[in-house]
Amino acid sequence: MIELEGVPELIDPVMVAAFEGWNDAGDAASTAVAHLEREWKGEVFAALDAEDYYDFQVNRPTVFMDGGVRKITWPTTRLSVVRVGGEKPRDLVLVRGIEPSMRWRSFCNELLGFAHELGVELVVVLGALLGDTPHTRPVPVSGVTSDPDLARRMDLEETKYEGPTGIVGVLQEACTHAGVPAVSLWAAVPHYVSQPPNPKATLALLNRLEDLLDLRIPQGELPEDARAWQVGVDQLAAEDSEVAEYVQTLEEARDTAELPEASGEAIAREFERYLRRRDVGPATGGHATADGGEGGSFRRDTPRDTPGGRARPPKPAKPDTDAPGGAETDDEDGSED
């Protein structure tokens, strides 16, 4: 039995979850939930027992000194609650952790037990995948669900993905079987600059979450970080003619694909977001790829404290005309259940 002591009665609670690892290219999804915790000062009220779900040779504990006392932090998944103020206040239950090494069904059942006890009305799981998308264009974010009625009501895609899945897909399917409405939001991260951080993808996920939940999320320094990230990648790509040519190829493919909708809906969404921000005061391992496989960062040897925290993009292989499209189509975007 799950007992939640010290947690007040929640208002229209929504659970928002993200997990480091295979489902978190560029750390974009886990950073988005960390941003929500930081901006709204979330307080952790529960943590899953690390012994039950993690292989400590894969996800090792870390040692730190606290006032001269040696302590250990164990890899786990923690839950916190934040209250979003405004005319219609509501609560978010934030779940942030690491993709478990074992007992995934028990892991999901334990999270669903918390959701049931807290009266959660909707579960939103954030993910990020590697895709054939240029860093110079808006980050594609797809919203998918296994529930046909929810897809129609919230203007989402009904997932038809088949292939390898991660904890994001497993948790969404567990929600479906438990009768809990669930949505996955997936950001596509350029595969040629996949190493974290990727503030542009994090910001895109938060913007999509804003639209989905009809609330305002304080952006903090993310817009400035996203601009700096893009400038840094521009400079790195400009130093290599092959990379620059490849990026141009991706840009042309992306622009051609989006011409028909030259974005009536996208423009409308941006205008609504602008109005919301103007009118509302301040608010109180490897990664999944577009084809469902696993890919790693191209380079890991550049320290994160270099400008933008990014390594030089590698020289990509010549585009294969027979290869599947990028992360922009409905069924080939790598979005999982």
Side-chain angles (χ1 to χ4, degrees):
M1 171 67 92
I2 296 175
E3 297 184 7
L4 302 175
E5 298 182 1
V7 178
E9 183 175 350
L10 304 183
I11 303 173
D12 300 329
V14 173
M15 178 176 281
V16 181
F19 304 94
E20 299 174 17
W22 196 73
N23 301 132
D24 193 25
D27 290 355
S30 57
T31 302
V33 174
H35 177 85
L36 297 176
E37 287 181 330
R38 183 171 58 255
E39 291 294 326
W40 280 320
K41 298 178 174 58
E43 295 187 6
V44 174
F45 66 86
L48 277 59
D49 189 343
E51 291 278 350
D52 292 338
Y53 304 114
Y54 295 100
D55 178 347
F56 298 137
Q57 289 183 324
V58 176
N59 297 291
R60 292 187 177 273
T62 56
V63 178
F64 68 100
M65 301 298 293
D66 182 12
V69 179
R70 186 178 175 88
K71 295 185 177 180
I72 294 179
T73 298
W74 296 92
T76 188
T77 294
R78 295 177 173 82
L79 291 83
S80 60
V81 172
V82 299
R83 174 152 295 176
V84 183
E87 295 182 3
K88 297 180 179 179
R90 77 181 314 167
D91 294 304
L92 300 183
V93 179
L94 304 179
V95 179
R96 182 163 65 101
I98 304 169
E99 183 177 63
S101 307
M102 61 195 82
R103 291 188 273 277
W104 285 20
R105 284 175 290 189
S106 297
F107 179 88
C108 292
N109 287 337
E110 188 165 355
L111 289 180
L112 285 171
F114 282 109
H116 174 73
E117 290 294 321
L118 294 169
V120 167
E121 301 175 350
L122 175 70
V123 174
V124 182
V125 194
L126 307 183
L129 51 87
L130 302 180
D132 292 328
T133 181
H135 72 277
T136 53
R137 297 293 184 265
V139 175
V141 178
S142 57
V144 296
T145 180
S146 300
D147 185 336
D149 293 332
L150 194 63
R152 287 191 294 271
R153 191 166 68 251
M154 304 189 78
D155 191 26
L156 302 166
E157 294 293 334
E158 186 178 353
T159 182
K160 295 179 177 61
Y161 172 80
E162 296 178 305
T165 191
I167 193 61
V168 171
V170 173
L171 178 57
Q172 180 165 344
E173 192 64 20
C175 290
T176 299
H177 287 300
V180 179
V183 173
S184 297
L185 300 181
W186 287 90
V189 171
H191 66 80
Y192 56 90
V193 57
S194 59
Q195 49 270 54
N198 190 320
K200 187 173 181 179
T202 295
L203 184 59
L205 279 170
L206 292 174
N207 284 339
R208 187 69 175 85
L209 184 65
E210 270 194 341
D211 295 338
L212 184 74
L213 301 182
D214 191 25
L215 51 80
R216 181 195 172 191
I217 297 174
Q219 295 183 342
E221 298 180 354
L222 272 176
E224 182 179 347
D225 291 343
R227 285 190 292 270
W229 176 87
Q230 181 162 326
V231 169
V233 180
D234 284 344
Q235 293 172 347
L236 292 173
E239 295 174 5
D240 191 309
S241 59
E242 288 187 33
V243 173
E245 182 180 351
Y246 181 56
V247 171
Q248 184 178 1
T249 300
L250 294 178
E251 291 172 340
E252 292 171 353
R254 173 76 178 273
D255 294 344
T256 300
E258 292 188 347
L259 271 178
E261 25 184 289
S263 260
E265 290 187 5
I267 293 172
R269 281 197 301 270
E270 287 300 320
F271 185 62
E272 289 173 0
R273 186 178 295 117
Y274 163 75
L275 291 178
R276 182 162 58 235
R277 292 192 172 282
R278 187 193 65 177
D279 296 338
V280 179
T284 43
H287 302 298
T289 58
D291 60 2
E294 183 175 2
S297 297
F298 284 87
R299 291 188 59 177
R300 291 282 185 181
D301 55 344
T302 297
R304 290 196 186 188
D305 59 355
T306 55
R310 296 170 295 281
R312 176 190 175 100
K315 295 183 179 180
K318 295 297 183 181
D320 183 355
T321 55
D322 296 326
E328 283 81 58
T329 60
D330 295 339
D331 299 334
E332 297 177 13
D333 62 358
S335 303
E336 300 167 3
D337 296 346

